[in-house]
Amino acid sequence: MDGDVLASLSHDDAEWAPVGRPLAALRATSTDEVSRAVAACAELAVPVVSRGAGTGLSGGANAVDGCLVLDLSQMNRVLEIDADNMICVVQPGVVNDDLKAAVAEHGLWYPPDPASAPWSTIGGNVSTNAGGLCCLKYGVTRDYVLGMEVVVGGPAGKYGTVTRLGRRTTKGVAGYDLTGLFVGSEGTFGVVTEVTLRLRPARREAPRTVVGAFSSLVAAGAAVAAVTAAGLLPTALELLDRACLTAVEEWKHLGLEADAEALLLAQIDTPGESGQAEAAAMAEVFEKAGAMWAAVSTDAQEAEALFAARRLAYPALERLSPVLTEDVCVPRSKVPAMLAAIVEIAERHGVSIATIAHAGDGNLHPLILVPAGDDAARVAAQGAFEEILSAAIGMGGTVSGEHGIGLLKREGLRKELSPQVQAMQVALKQTLDPLNLFNPGKAI
């Protein structure tokens, strides 16, 4: 394989994560090819690092020295759509948005929608238990994975063994939940070659969008806590600060004006008059919480542009400078305090931090911007990164809400988990992958 191509397959989008030198890469096209490759690697003691589109933000798909990079992006077929039972079976290389379009033709909907949905693959989403904008109401990837086909080793048999986990039924409690264990395991237990997913009926009408503008991040955070206290459950409740909005507008020219320090974007998909009432109640909560202004959008194009800006925020900022991405998650009542902590940490370390967030579920993405080639700024950014992790843990939160641990957050994970829990996790890895073949050095 060409050296440049091999290099491009050796890392994900986490600019700060270390990248090893792979021995080779294989673009697999079938489960049989994956099985034979894993068996050969086990014989040769060559680690296996699987990847999809490479949109991850934690270094989870980065090569380790001497490994085989197993590219699953060409295993991209939707194998079955069972409309009667509202399930589908897909290969891991299917792109999230492509799956949405395929099931929509059958009047169905696959809700998990990470901001990378136009590019990220189902296999990668499963690997990190990806969330997204509408997981506040509809849940994360794990809530939709019923079963999977995996290539494994260890107790299942020799390395390269193909087996199936889980079920096709709506309910099922036969044995331990190995399917749930593999979701979010970042490819450290085996290679996922097929996924069975539950679906939902398609929404009956377009969702309503409520926009609130705030004079500060902390004020927007207070409004998030007020939404929770009011008992409102929007499909999505997203935060976008001025820096992110400006970066997107300068890149894509969507016609957006950054007239506030922070915007909250709420989406309501309850149909009919009930949905109208919920949207009006959301706007009222924003106003009472101190919004400069709040309104239910009557312009579908404007609403779409705002949510497009939210999805494009990371790549827009990445164009400007290297970005160190956080993924902390705190209890929803702690969102104002966490946003205040981010502002304080940025000021104290002298770094620039832009913030986007799945604010409704407490999942915040502070994006630390560092001028290219500025070593002092890089040191300051790393210090701010670690402090943000510690602040989240101190508020009863977690170091990763959806991006995974990968390489970037292993130290944070050790701060969050007790030694006893860490020992249990290591024992799981050693039992299911005694050769430490699959994605070594990641996740734990």
Side-chain angles (χ1 to χ4, degrees), residues 327-360:
D327 176 41
V328 294
C329 191
V330 296
R332 286 178 282 187
S333 63
K334 297 292 186 181
V335 168
M338 189 66 224
L339 288 170
I342 291 167
V343 171
E344 188 276 328
I345 290 168
E347 291 176 350
R348 182 156 40 79
H349 284 270
V351 297
S352 176
I353 298 182
T355 300
I356 53 178
H358 306 304

Side-chain angles (χ1 to χ4, degrees), residues 124 199 236 354 392:
L199 305 170

Side-chain angles (χ1 to χ4, degrees), residues 18-286:
V19 180
R21 296 188 54 149
L23 179 67
L26 170 66
R27 282 196 167 121
T29 59
S30 69
T31 298
D32 181 62
E33 284 186 6
V34 173
S35 172
R36 288 188 285 119
V38 168
C41 285
E43 288 289 331
L44 298 170
V46 171
V48 175
V49 177
S50 54
R51 63 172 279 131
T55 59
L57 294 170
S58 67
N62 284 12
V64 299
D65 288 340
C67 77
L68 173 71
V69 174
L70 191 55
D71 179 5
L72 303 173
S73 62
Q74 301 305 302
M75 294 178 64
N76 56 8
R77 291 186 298 136
V78 177
L79 301 174
E80 178 187 358
I81 298 174
D82 181 347
D84 291 336
N85 292 299
M86 291 195 295
I87 64 172
C88 66
V89 181
V90 304
Q91 291 183 311
V94 172
V95 171
N96 184 298
D97 271 1
D98 291 346
L99 175 60
K100 283 180 168 58
V103 301
E105 294 179 3
H106 298 261
L108 298 169
W109 178 39
Y110 177 66
D113 62 339
S116 60
W119 316 285
S120 64
T121 62
I122 296 300
N125 294 171
V126 168
S127 175
T128 60
N129 190 25
L133 279 66
C134 73
C135 67
L136 172 60
K137 184 173 182 178
Y138 290 106
V140 296
T141 299
R142 180 178 282 116
D143 298 309
Y144 293 87
V145 179
L146 292 171
M148 60 180 67
E149 177 185 81
V150 292
V151 176
V152 293
K158 65 179 184 179
Y159 277 80
T161 295
V162 180
T163 191
R164 289 188 176 274
L165 309 175
R167 61 192 193 280
R168 292 172 61 97
T169 54
T170 303
K171 295 168 67 177
V173 293
Y176 294 126
D177 182 11
L178 296 180
T179 302
L181 182 63
F182 268 69
V183 177
S185 64
E186 302 185 37
T188 59
F189 295 151
V191 182
V192 176
T193 53
E194 198 175 283
V195 189
T196 301
L197 300 165
R198 76 168 83 238
L199 305 170
R200 295 180 65 95
R203 292 185 281 196
R204 288 183 279 168
E205 59 184 61
R208 296 169 176 83
T209 297
V210 183
V211 184
F214 296 84
S215 60
S216 71
L217 273 180
V218 177
V224 172
V227 168
T228 301
L232 295 173
L233 185 61
T235 305
L237 182 55
E238 297 293 305
L239 182 147
L240 189 70
D241 77 359
R242 184 197 290 268
C244 294
L245 197 61
T246 300
V248 172
E249 180 58 26
E250 289 177 351
W251 179 29
K252 292 295 185 179
H253 308 294
L254 300 176
L256 302 171
E257 294 183 10
D259 62 348
E261 285 303 315
L263 290 183
L264 283 181
L265 311 177
Q267 196 175 75
I268 310 288
D269 70 350
T270 304
E273 293 182 2
S274 296
Q276 293 176 4
E278 283 187 36
M282 183 69 67
E284 183 178 357
V285 169
F286 284 176

